[in-house]
Each structure stands twice: as C-alpha cells, then as structure tokens.
Amino acid sequence: MSQPSINNIAEICSRHGIRKAVISPGSRNAPLTLAFSRHPEFECFSVSDERSAAFIAMGMAQSNKNPVALICTSGSAALNYAPAIAEAYFQQIPLLILTADRPAEWIDQWDGQTIRQEGIYGRHVKKSYQFPLDTSHPDSEWHGVRMMNEAVNQCNQLPTGPVHVNISFREPFYPSKTDKWGYDKNVKIIKQTKPSCVFDKNHAGELQKAFGGFSKIAFLLGQADYSSEFLEVLNVISKKLNIPVFADIISNGNTLTNSIHLPDSVCMPLLKQSNEEFIPELVVSFGKSIISKNLKLFLRRNLKNQWHISQGNEFISDPFQSLAQLIDVEPSAFLELLQQSAPKPNDFLNNWKSKDEEMAKKTTAFLSDQTNFNEFTVLKKVVNLLSEDYQLHLANSMSVRYANFIGLDKDKTINVCCNRGTSGIDGSNSTAMGHAIAILDKKHLLVTGDVAFFYDRNAFWHNYD
C-alpha cells in the first residue's frame, strides 16, 4: 500500500478533530507511525506496552471527550488492546483502533506475528473494518477514504465507543529518500450530524401524566460524564419536586442538595427489614452502572417501575429487573419536561435524607474511634485533604468500594474516575495516567491496592509526566 494512502488516514482523522495518537513501537505499523507522527496537527505518545497504551488512550479520550487514535503492530500486540477496548465499549468512550496486519495470504502459514486479526475484538467494538490492501485503483482508494470517514463518524455517534480498522501492509514499510512526502488537503471528508431526539407532544404528555401519578419518586445517577449544567438543573428539579437522588461515589453527584451519597450504608439495614416508606414507586435513572451493591439489591427486591433516560441506546439494560420505559432522549430535555410538575409529598425525601445523614454521622464516629493505622482511616484522611483542583482515580476492587462506604464531602466537588465498565483491575494505573497526560491543569491522585498497582506498573514506563 502506498504511503500517500496511509497519510490520508491521518489527514482524515485530523480533519474530523482527532488530535492525539498513542502508538506502540513496531515495524509493521511503521507507515502509520510516520503518517501520524509527522502530521502537524497530532500529538503522538509512544507507549511500548500495548495493554497499558490502550488504557492510557482510553483515559485521554475520556478526559477530553474526543476520540484518540490507538496504533499498534501486528499479531499478539493487537490482542493486548482487548481489556481496554472492552472497558471503553461499556463506558461508551470513543477510541479509533488502527491495527497493522500481515497480508491475508500469510495467515495460518506459520509466519511470525501473524494471527487472525479481522474482527478480532468481536462484539466489544461498535464496528470493525478491513482496510483495502491495494489502493492503486481509484475505486479502491475511494473505498478506503469512505471507510475511514465512516469509522471516525461511528466513534462519535451516540452511543460513542471504540471502532476498529485493521490494515494489512506489505513490505517495504518505509518510504525511500526520493519519495515525496505530503498530505492530501483535498481528501474527501464526510461529516455526519448527530441525531436530535426530542419528544413528540403526545409522548411528552403521556410521560408528564404518568410522572404526576407517582408520589414516591427517586432519581438515580449511574456512572457517566455529566455536565455541570445537567447536574445544576437536576439539583433544581430535585429540590423543587422533593425527590431524593441516589448518588454513589462514581456518579459525581455527591454535592447535590438531595443526594443520598452513602446508599450502600443506608440500604444495608433496609435489606433486613421491610420498610414501605423507603420503597420508591418510580426510579428515574441516568447514566450506566452503580457500585453500591446494597442499593442494587434493595431496588431489585422492591422496585416495580424504572424509567431510564439515555440517548442512543444500543441495547436494553435492566439491572434492577424493573425497567418499564427506556426513554431515548437527551437527559436535559427530559428534565425540561418536569419543570411544570407538581411537588411530591416530602415525607419520602425526608426519610432518605434522614437515613443518609444518620449514616454519615455513624461513619464519622466509627473512623474517629480508630486508633490503629488502617485502610479506612488512611483513605478518609487522604480524601478529606483533597482540594477541588484534584481528580480522584479509584482502582478496582477494594479501593473504590472502601471509598464508596466512606463517601466524599458533600460540600466539595471532587471529580471521581473509575473503570466500572468491566470493573477490572488491569488498567487502573494507565487510565489515570491517560487523564494526567491529557489534563495538565489538574492534580491527579490514584488510590489503588497492591495487586492492581503491580498488575499495571507499565503505566509508568514512558517519558511523559
């Protein structure tokens, strides 16, 4: 394949707004490395360990809310991307994965670093493409350009997520001294607008009427990258309508006035006794997973009606086995729908807030009584010392669970990140490193256990600080 065709890949990515590329060294991917590293619009990062590289790229994409190009050589190198790709898929983080490959005729011929790479990530990518090997014919070149435009658009379309492009290369991998170098500024760019989901009047009226028929309603924030504007509107609505907000530590909703920020502790005794006054008639949920197991069990045992608000749903998620409505709309548009709703009786809200405050006092008393050096007291002291210019990264599995039981200060906005898409320990260090490299004006603190730390120690094997 000619180098100009590969340069077009970098140019298309650039014109779609991608600005960062994480590259692991290799020979088969040399044409891609040259195309991206020489392009004036790209900031390229060389990370040798592909597993770590993929999580670093994921952290960058998560922090900047923009796809990152992820580039590796052929063979087992591509397999090492799999854990981060699965995490990115379930967290809906956009990654553009470009894997170099051997030509198809050499697969299954006992040739080095030659495996079956086409579709290698299965159902953990939004879509997988096989780039044309020979782009010398105009139709084939047009096909490759069209494919790259579609791949980048797929990354950005809701739900966002990882997209894979597998690219086979024959030798030579490097341009000769006489070859002209450049990027085609006239390469075809195909933009795709994001769908605008709005309520039709009939559906909006039906939802407003149904919402008005419930007395005990709770909002639930799962893990998601909520904007400050959304949280502000949610805060106003929840106060106006007397609605509690279940917000465990990975929701980043702990500062909301009506937040129930210790749901694990609150729900633990509720699992042992039937308390009708705490059972919501309707839960309106946003985002994805929650970490609070006791809250999950409480809702799974007692909840009858859940509405989930999410734009661009790929599948139905029903973790509490009570989903009645999957409302495909931008969450802020749904909150706008509730502006004219009548307030609910405040008994339900007061019951939950009272329990949350009670558990917060008990937690503080328990930790204050600890005279020995232990994980809980240390974590509490560290979290209390954080200022709002910190980003807190929590590793799986005990780190995030301890922090969830302890809770964050309700008067302090500390952004929390944790890999709760697949909840693995394998990329906690690298994801935090990706955030730290991408957001230089923040301080980053990683709380991790020894196994998670040593499992991903190659996160620090690079020259970026």
Side-chain angles (χ1 to χ4, degrees), residues 138-201:
D139 285 355
S140 183
E141 182 180 7
W142 162 76
H143 181 205
V145 168
R146 191 189 78 219
M147 181 184 294
M148 286 308 306
N149 276 282
E150 184 178 319
V152 180
N153 285 331
Q154 277 286 324
C155 277
N156 286 314
Q157 285 296 308
L158 297 175
T160 57
V163 173
H164 175 217
V165 181
N166 192 53
I167 309 171
S168 299
F169 292 98
R170 289 197 178 99
E171 296 189 51
F173 303 140
Y174 299 92
S176 67
K177 291 182 179 180
T178 58
D179 289 338
K180 292 184 178 179
W181 186 272
Y183 298 90
D184 182 4
K185 298 302 178 182
N186 294 316
V187 66
K188 188 174 184 178
I189 302 299
I190 305 169
K191 298 286 187 177
Q192 185 174 356
T193 58
K194 295 180 180 179
S196 178
C197 294
V198 294
F199 290 113
D200 65 48
K201 291 183 179 180

Side-chain angles (χ1 to χ4, degrees), residues 32-237:
L32 284 166
T33 301
L34 291 172
F36 279 82
S37 61
R38 291 183 177 182
H39 197 289
E41 296 293 335
F42 278 99
E43 188 177 9
C44 295
F45 302 86
S46 179
V47 181
S48 297
D49 183 335
E50 284 85 5
R51 188 181 70 181
S52 179
F55 277 107
I56 287 175
M58 191 193 78
M60 290 178 175
Q62 185 179 45
S63 62
N64 288 336
K65 306 175 183 61
N66 197 48
V68 171
L70 184 58
I71 301 168
C72 74
T73 194
S74 64
S76 57
L79 286 170
N80 284 304
Y81 279 172
I85 289 171
E87 180 68 30
Y89 179 77
F90 287 109
Q91 279 204 60
Q92 299 175 355
I93 297 172
L95 287 177
L96 181 65
I97 306 124
L98 305 175
T99 55
D101 197 3
R102 304 292 174 113
E105 63 265 24
W106 286 105
I107 295 173
D108 299 330
Q109 299 307 303
W110 301 333
D111 205 36
Q113 283 295 286
T114 307
I115 63 174
R116 300 166 188 169
Q117 286 184 209
E118 189 172 352
I120 194 172
Y121 304 116
R123 297 176 64 188
H124 290 120
V125 289
K126 289 185 65 180
K127 198 164 183 179
S128 188
Y129 299 88
Q130 183 66 39
F131 199 82
L133 177 61
D134 182 2
T135 56
S136 58
H137 192 281
D139 285 355
S140 183
E141 182 180 7
W142 162 76
H143 181 205
V145 168
R146 191 189 78 219
M147 181 184 294
M148 286 308 306
N149 276 282
E150 184 178 319
V152 180
N153 285 331
Q154 277 286 324
C155 277
N156 286 314
Q157 285 296 308
L158 297 175
T160 57
V163 173
H164 175 217
V165 181
N166 192 53
I167 309 171
S168 299
F169 292 98
R170 289 197 178 99
E171 296 189 51
F173 303 140
Y174 299 92
S176 67
K177 291 182 179 180
T178 58
D179 289 338
K180 292 184 178 179
W181 186 272
Y183 298 90
D184 182 4
K185 298 302 178 182
N186 294 316
V187 66
K188 188 174 184 178
I189 302 299
I190 305 169
K191 298 286 187 177
Q192 185 174 356
T193 58
K194 295 180 180 179
S196 178
C197 294
V198 294
F199 290 113
D200 65 48
K201 291 183 179 180
N202 289 335
H203 189 208
E206 290 172 2
L207 287 174
Q208 286 173 320
K209 183 178 179 181
F211 187 87
F214 295 105
S215 296
K216 297 188 296 182
I217 298 176
F219 291 136
L220 183 147
L221 290 178
Q223 185 175 37
D225 187 17
Y226 302 108
S227 67
S228 56
E229 292 78 13
F230 168 79
L231 292 175
E232 184 176 339
V233 173
L234 181 66
N235 196 41
V236 170
I237 293 292

Side-chain angles (χ1 to χ4, degrees), residues 12 103 131 148 165 189 224 228 254 256 302 323 325 338 367 376 392 401 448 456 462:
I12 291 167
F131 199 82
M148 286 308 306
V165 181
I189 302 299
S228 56
N254 63 289
L256 300 179
N302 297 293
L323 187 64
Q325 294 245 23
L338 304 183
L367 294 172
F376 279 100
L392 177 61
R401 296 192 183 281
T448 181
D456 189 29
H462 53 73

Side-chain angles (χ1 to χ4, degrees), residues 249 254 261-262 360-361 363-369 375-392 394 402-403 405-414 416 445 447:
I249 197 163
N254 63 289
H261 77 305
L262 296 174
K361 291 177 182 178
T363 300
T364 300
F366 171 77
L367 294 172
S368 299
D369 288 343
E375 294 165 321
F376 279 100
T377 54
V378 170
L379 183 56
K380 180 64 174 177
K381 287 182 182 297
V382 168
V383 169
N384 282 349
L385 290 171
L386 293 181
S387 55
E388 292 192 350
D389 58 343
Y390 270 90
Q391 187 153 307
L392 177 61
L394 298 171
Y402 285 165
F405 271 105
I406 292 170
L408 294 175
D409 188 339
K410 293 194 69 172
D411 297 323
K412 196 184 298 182
T413 301
I414 304 292
V416 176
L445 174 68
V447 177

Side-chain angles (χ1 to χ4, degrees), residues 189-407:
I189 302 299
I190 305 169
K191 298 286 187 177
Q192 185 174 356
T193 58
K194 295 180 180 179
S196 178
C197 294
V198 294
F199 290 113
D200 65 48
K201 291 183 179 180
N202 289 335
H203 189 208
E206 290 172 2
L207 287 174
Q208 286 173 320
K209 183 178 179 181
F211 187 87
F214 295 105
S215 296
K216 297 188 296 182
I217 298 176
F219 291 136
L220 183 147
L221 290 178
Q223 185 175 37
D225 187 17
Y226 302 108
S227 67
S228 56
E229 292 78 13
F230 168 79
L231 292 175
E232 184 176 339
V233 173
L234 181 66
N235 196 41
V236 170
I237 293 292
S238 65
K239 287 194 296 182
K240 177 184 175 183
L241 302 185
N242 296 322
I243 295 177
V245 183
F246 299 143
D248 65 18
I249 197 163
I250 62 173
S251 75
N252 288 307
N254 63 289
T255 60
L256 300 179
T257 303
N258 288 343
S259 72
I260 309 305
H261 77 305
L262 296 174
D264 244 339
S265 301
V266 172
C267 289
M268 188 180 294
L270 297 180
L271 291 173
K272 300 175 183 178
Q273 53 192 4
S274 178
N275 290 347
E276 283 293 327
E277 64 269 27
F278 286 93
I279 298 175
E281 296 169 350
L282 171 68
V283 165
V284 178
S285 59
F286 306 89
K288 295 177 280 292
S289 66
I290 63 172
I291 191 173
S292 300
K293 187 175 181 179
N294 291 323
L295 173 60
K296 188 181 297 183
L297 290 174
F298 174 77
L299 294 177
R300 196 171 289 172
R301 291 179 186 179
N302 297 293
L303 186 61
K304 302 301 181 186
N305 287 289
Q306 178 198 359
W307 295 357
H308 186 68
I309 318 301
S310 179
Q311 191 174 13
N313 297 286
E314 192 171 358
F315 43 77
I316 293 176
S317 296
D318 186 17
F320 312 125
Q321 300 177 324
S322 58
L323 187 64
Q325 294 245 23
L326 181 58
I327 302 173
D328 194 342
V329 71
E330 207 280 322
S332 294
F334 177 82
L335 292 180
E336 182 68 26
L337 191 71
L338 304 183
Q339 292 283 4
Q340 304 306 317
S341 297
K344 305 298 176 182
N346 60 13
D347 292 353
F348 182 67
L349 169 65
N350 291 339
N351 287 336
W352 276 99
K353 288 191 71 173
S354 176
K355 275 291 182 184
D356 194 55
E357 292 165 3
E358 177 188 333
M359 287 302 171
K361 291 177 182 178
K362 286 184 177 181
T363 300
T364 300
F366 171 77
L367 294 172
S368 299
D369 288 343
Q370 300 297 306
T371 55
N372 297 323
F373 181 86
N374 63 61
E375 294 165 321
F376 279 100
T377 54
V378 170
L379 183 56
K380 180 64 174 177
K381 287 182 182 297
V382 168
V383 169
N384 282 349
L385 290 171
L386 293 181
S387 55
E388 292 192 350
D389 58 343
Y390 270 90
Q391 187 153 307
L392 177 61
H393 300 268
L394 298 171
N396 291 308
S397 116
M398 295 312 297
S399 301
V400 67
R401 296 192 183 281
Y402 285 165
N404 194 48
F405 271 105
I406 292 170

